[in-house]
Amino acid sequence: MSIRTKLMLLTMLAVATAMSVACTAFVANDARLIKEDMAQQLSALSQVLGANTTAALKFMDAESAEQLLGSLEMQPMVTSAALFEADGQVFATYPAGREEGPLADEIGTLHNHDGQMVVTTEITEDGDPVGVIVVRGDLNVLNQQLLHYSYIVAVVLLVSFAAAYLLASRLQGVISGPIQGLTAAAHRVSENNDYSIRVSRPGNDELGDLCTAFNHMLDEIEASNEALSKAHGELEARVAQRTHQLSETNGELNKEIVERKKTEEKLEQVHRELVESARRAGMAEVATGVLHNVGNVLNSVNVSATMITNQLGSSKVAQLSKVIDLIDEHQRDLGEFVTRDEKGKQVPRFLRVLTDHLVTDEQSLLDEARSLISNIEHIKTIVSTQQSYANSGGHVETTDVNAIMDDAVRLNSASFGRHGIEVVRELDEVPDVLLDRQRVLQIVINLVKNAKESLVEKEGQPKRLILRSATEDGRLVLQVKDTGQGISQENLTRIFSHGFTTKKSGHGFGLHSCANSATEMDGALTVTSDGVGKGATFTLNLPLKPAGVAV
């Protein structure tokens, strides 16, 4: 709907509402007044008739009572009346001979009953009740008057609506006219993009302010449009210039892309070389550990060989040769020589002492020989163990993880004994699993070696290395825990970073390589420590793939 129609409807609705409320109040008030007037008239009639019929009731003159009630014919509002004796018996009625029901219990009340207004009044003489009179009025008289008022109200409403329509049709133009002018101007601006259009100010009210604001908005839009056109021209020139610059830059970028591809190829080659170096460094790490352990055992072999050489050098066998020569010289008179000659008497005792020395030397040489053989066997064990893992590297196979933990300890056992390190095995009964045995061994050897070095640096404290194996939440968990130097909180976050190390001779690659190997096996290598001097715990977490089960 247009604003003109809306203003007309709003005006008519306001007039209709106001007139309806006013007329309803007027009719309701008149109905109340008419009803009160009717009630007063009926009460007055009942009181007058009660006073006039007192003698008739007292002398039981029913005929006089009916004549008095008959006077109600002059009152069109009264429909019926009845005069009752004090005991409730009907004494007289109006109209005469009308059948009357029993007297109601309530006396002196005014109430409506079956469309009639009923007034019940008690008749007394000197304070004593002599009877009751009941007068009934017709409420239809009230209804007729209300209907008459309704006709008047309807006429007033129609006249009011007509007057309101005429006034609204004339007055709404004061508001809708300027708004329609603004609407037409807005349509012309929108359709033709003509921002030179202006509207006249109708007055100093809000509509005048709206028209002024509309003209001001058009002024700003027109100025902005001119500035935009100017900026558009400048922008096209700048775009052309920028396009030329981008073309030149694009050529340079193409050259950089070619150079970057070459650089990436070189980086890829360097990466492959670094990976190969990392692999060799890992192999060198294990080989270094093996050679270190073999060297420790070779020290024991060298000590045993030196002791055997020294004992053979200080042997009493040369003195035995001198005794034999002495016996050979006195072979013909050996008995006399042994019994009478002073040197001869010393020969048996010397042979006894010499025999004891030879037996002791023989036992010592046998012990050193057995130690030498044991150390050589240890070297063979270290080499054969490493060879067995080296031959299996690079592929997944059925593996006893507890055996890996034992082998890692065995490869470092000589160092543990020399530095007084106690090894505690807390190995659960883990079933054989499928994994890369060589990679896991390298990780565990590296962790055990680091733990050993940490324990060696800690003097005057119990040195304990704890190895654990278990299965948790469907995964394999291997732990290497020590009571050594521990790790500071600031170093925990970068302990696995490439090139990070706290050792003077370290290169910062071992733990980084172990962490990468664990990740490549879909696992993880983590570390925890309560701080410096409180030891550390390294945990290798790997997928649990039981041997013989499809995974």
Side-chain angles (χ1 to χ4, degrees), residues 5 75 87 92 105 127 162 171 239 290 326 386 537:
T5 304
Q75 302 292 334
D87 58 359
D105 294 335
L171 297 178
V239 167
V290 172
L326 184 60
Q386 184 57 40
T537 301

Side-chain angles (χ1 to χ4, degrees), residues 470-477 541-546:
T471 56
E472 297 179 2
D473 299 329
R475 296 183 69 84
L476 175 65
V477 178
N541 190 301
L542 296 172
L544 181 61
K545 300 177 181 178

Side-chain angles (χ1 to χ4, degrees), residues 5-236:
T5 304
K6 291 178 180 178
L7 287 172
M8 289 287 294
L9 290 177
L10 290 174
T11 303
M12 296 300 294
L13 180 61
V15 172
T17 302
M19 292 301 298
S20 298
V21 171
C23 291
T24 301
F26 171 74
V27 172
N29 185 59
D30 278 1
R32 180 182 61 81
L33 294 175
I34 293 172
K35 190 173 182 181
E36 290 179 354
D37 182 62
M38 183 178 180
Q40 290 176 358
Q41 292 182 21
L42 290 178
S43 296
L45 286 174
S46 64
Q47 290 176 1
V48 172
L49 288 174
N52 293 334
T53 56
T54 301
L57 284 171
K58 185 175 181 180
F59 296 102
M60 301 300 292
D61 187 357
E63 184 177 355
S64 298
E66 288 185 355
Q67 289 177 357
L68 290 172
L69 293 178
S71 63
L72 292 175
E73 291 180 350
M74 302 302 295
Q75 302 292 334
M77 71 176 69
V78 178
T79 58
S80 64
L83 185 63
F84 293 87
E85 297 177 8
D87 58 359
Q89 297 295 323
V90 178
F91 184 73
T93 62
Y94 168 78
R98 179 178 178 276
E99 294 184 1
E100 187 70 28
L103 180 64
D105 294 335
E106 296 181 357
I107 298 176
T109 60
L110 178 67
H111 60 277
N112 298 333
H113 180 69
D114 293 335
Q116 294 181 337
M117 182 176 290
V118 181
V119 178
T120 303
T121 305
E122 186 179 23
I123 302 173
T124 60
E125 184 180 14
D126 297 331
D128 295 328
V130 295
V132 177
I133 184 170
V134 178
V135 180
R136 298 181 180 89
D138 189 2
L139 291 176
N140 289 327
V141 176
L142 174 63
N143 295 334
Q144 291 176 358
Q145 292 182 356
L146 291 177
L147 181 60
H148 178 68
Y149 284 144
S150 299
Y151 292 151
I152 296 175
V153 168
V155 172
V156 171
L157 287 176
L158 288 175
V159 173
S160 299
F161 288 161
Y165 179 78
L166 292 175
L167 290 174
S169 61
R170 296 293 181 91
L171 297 178
Q172 56 83 26
V174 178
I175 298 176
S176 62
I179 295 178
Q180 289 176 346
L182 281 173
T183 303
H187 281 302
R188 292 198 302 272
V189 170
S190 176
E191 292 174 358
N192 304 324
N193 292 327
D194 184 6
Y195 300 106
S196 63
I197 297 174
R198 299 294 182 272
V199 295
S200 59
R201 182 183 177 94
N204 295 324
D205 56 1
E206 290 83 355
L207 289 175
D209 294 339
L210 179 61
C211 293
T212 302
F214 181 77
N215 292 333
H216 181 68
M217 178 187 68
L218 291 177
D219 292 338
E220 291 185 351
I221 292 176
E222 187 175 14
S224 299
N225 192 35
E226 293 177 357
L228 184 62
S229 300
K230 181 179 180 180
H232 180 70
E234 295 177 354
L235 181 61
E236 288 182 347

